Amino acid sequence: MSTGAAELLQDTGGLITDEATETPQEIAARSPFALFWRRLRQDKVALVALGFIVLLIVVAIFAPLIVKLFGAHPPNAQNSGALDEFGSAAAPGHGYLFGTDALGRDVFSRTIYGARVSLEVAFLATGLIVVIGVTSGMIAGYYRGAVDTVLSRSMDVVLAFPVLLLALGLGAACSLQGCLSANSMGRDLLIAGLVVMLAPVAMTAISQARGRPGFKAIAPSDWVLRLAPGVIILVVGLILSLVVSSKKTLIEPGLPVVIFVITLAGWPYMARIIRGQVLSLREKEFVEAARSLGASDSRIIFRHILPNLVAPIIVYTTLLIPTNILFEAALSFLGVGVQPPTASWGAMIADAIEIFDTAWWYMTAPGVALLLTVLAFNLIGDGLQDALNPRTGR
């Protein structure tokens, strides 16, 4: 039987770890980041995966220098002289490290540049998913009621669509001339912003008429939080209506289409996770204590609830990135993603199907790169989950 305090007990799986032999004072003296890093660095697999990801990011950033360093050819340069005697893709060698494709382009340089596209789409789309998902999830989980109903039903509507078919439809519709006129969208956002701003005012007025706390009972910071979404929508609408050209479309062909599709399909999952966490956290004692001391809703959300969401946000984000990389590769493979001649791993695999039996290297290079990248992000996600879990006894 253990006689230690419950908050100091750790599941060590029957083994005596270094942390189990330390005194409570030594454990308490460490910062949360120090404890996190101590657990993470014990996971050698996660550290190797992290090193691979850092290397991949460096390769993507300095792709032109790396291509020149290895003496490779530009990714879009076609060279009929590089083909074999039958006019087909040439095998690795003779100045082409990974061989050539059917057009005589260097597979090595196209694989390097394909990392740029995959990481750019993954990070941008994941960032948008996190911002939209966390914001809508916190608002829905904290305020509940009508706000939660509207946001939750919006998530259900998006989740009801077959993701791949939705992506194919939007990708095909927006890949040629783009989608959503900036002018018309700006006018719609102006109307939506006014509605979103007036909604909390109307609800507060109705509450006051029914004898409930009205305008005076709400702190100014809470009014700022309630009106902020409408103000943001209004500002975006004004920019689109007055600044952007009338012929401009919001979703341009190429990367913007892929990022928009991935963000549209992915934000409800993040929002649902955050909403569930907030529904639990808002009933905790520290939130009740802050509310009893007169803390405003904005202070409770950003100073008390949001810091407790950092761990699940980080873990789920690391799991979102490889999913989005595969999503981008799938869209490019199906022909509605990144437009040629831009190098993309999915498009390279699609081009290699017809010549795979004679040019195995053309599919192998982008396929192995895609496999290792997704595997590395999944491994680092598992490592972060273990390191951020206080019950982990590594």
Side-chain angles (χ1 to χ4, degrees):
M1 177 180 295
S2 174
T3 57
E7 63 270 18
L8 298 178
L9 297 180
Q10 299 189 23
D11 181 14
T12 60
L15 300 176
I16 300 177
T17 62
D18 293 338
E19 292 183 4
T21 60
E22 294 175 347
T23 63
Q25 291 77 12
E26 292 175 337
I27 297 176
R30 294 202 189 104
S31 65
F33 178 78
L35 294 172
F36 158 76
W37 175 244
R38 190 176 190 277
R39 296 189 186 100
L40 181 62
R41 69 184 182 184
Q42 293 176 353
D43 191 345
K44 304 302 181 183
V45 175
L47 290 181
V48 172
L50 180 60
F52 177 82
I53 293 172
V54 173
L55 177 62
L56 184 67
I57 294 174
V58 172
V59 168
I61 294 175
F62 299 101
L65 296 178
I66 293 176
V67 168
K68 289 183 179 180
L69 180 65
F70 282 87
H73 300 77
N76 298 325
Q78 301 181 17
N79 182 12
S80 58
L83 302 176
D84 61 12
E85 58 272 17
F86 300 103
S88 301
H94 306 290
Y96 291 89
L97 189 60
F98 290 170
T100 67
D101 61 6
L103 300 177
R105 295 177 296 189
D106 194 332
V107 176
F108 172 76
S109 60
R110 290 184 65 78
T111 303
I112 295 297
Y113 274 82
R116 275 186 160 186
V117 173
S118 295
L119 293 180
E120 184 177 353
V121 171
F123 287 137
L124 289 177
T126 303
L128 291 174
I129 289 174
V130 170
V131 171
I132 297 173
V134 171
T135 303
S136 56
M138 285 197 305
I139 293 175
Y142 184 80
Y143 286 107
R144 299 190 298 184
V147 176
D148 184 20
T149 301
V150 172
L151 291 175
S152 297
R153 297 297 79 78
S154 300
M155 301 174 201
D156 294 338
V157 169
V158 177
L159 293 173
F161 286 96
V163 176
L164 187 57
L165 293 179
L166 175 65
L168 287 174
L170 290 175
C174 303
S175 293
L176 296 178
Q177 297 179 349
C179 292
L180 301 179
S181 171
N183 257 185
S184 60
M185 180 59 68
R187 291 191 294 269
D188 294 339
L189 288 177
L190 286 175
I191 297 174
L194 289 174
V195 172
V196 173
M197 287 184 63
L198 292 176
V201 177
M203 294 177 64
T204 306
I206 293 174
S207 298
Q208 188 181 33
R210 292 179 178 179
R212 299 175 182 175
F215 294 90
K216 296 181 180 179
I218 301 177
S221 58
D222 291 341
W223 273 114
V224 172
L225 184 64
R226 294 187 179 193
L227 298 179
V231 173
I232 294 174
I233 296 174
L234 272 177
V235 172
V236 174
L238 286 174
I239 294 175
L240 294 178
S241 300
L242 303 177
V243 179
V244 182
S245 171
S246 59
K247 298 182 179 180
K248 186 75 172 177
T249 55
L250 294 180
I251 308 176
E252 295 294 324
L255 286 181
V257 173
V258 180
I259 294 172
F260 173 77
V261 169
I262 294 176
T263 304
L264 180 63
W267 75 268
Y269 297 98
M270 173 66 80
R272 279 196 161 188
I273 291 175
I274 298 303
R275 174 183 174 273
Q277 294 287 330
V278 174
L279 284 174
S280 175
L281 289 173
R282 74 185 304 275
E283 306 299 334
K284 297 294 185 181
E285 290 79 2
F286 65 91
V287 174
E288 294 292 339
R291 190 179 290 116
S292 66
L293 292 174
S296 61
D297 290 343
S298 59
R299 182 178 179 85
I300 293 174
I301 291 175
F302 293 108
R303 296 294 298 274
H304 298 280
I305 294 180
L306 183 58
N308 288 277
L309 298 174
V310 172
I313 290 174
I314 292 176
V315 172
Y316 190 65
T317 299
T318 57
L319 298 178
L320 265 180
I321 293 176
T323 303
N324 293 338
I325 291 176
L326 286 176
F327 205 165
E328 182 276 326
L331 293 178
S332 298
F333 179 85
L334 296 173
V336 295
V338 178
Q339 300 299 302
T342 304
S344 170
W345 290 340
M348 293 174 66
I349 295 175
D351 294 339
I353 291 178
E354 298 179 357
I355 60 174
F356 177 71
D357 55 344
T358 59
W360 56 267
W361 55 87
Y362 189 22
M363 182 182 289
T364 302
V368 171
L370 183 61
L371 171 66
L372 293 178
T373 301
V374 173
L375 179 62
F377 274 108
N378 281 323
L379 291 176
I380 190 62
D382 291 340
L384 288 175
Q385 185 175 11
D386 293 336
L388 291 169
N389 185 4
R391 291 187 175 91
T392 300
R394 286 187 175 273

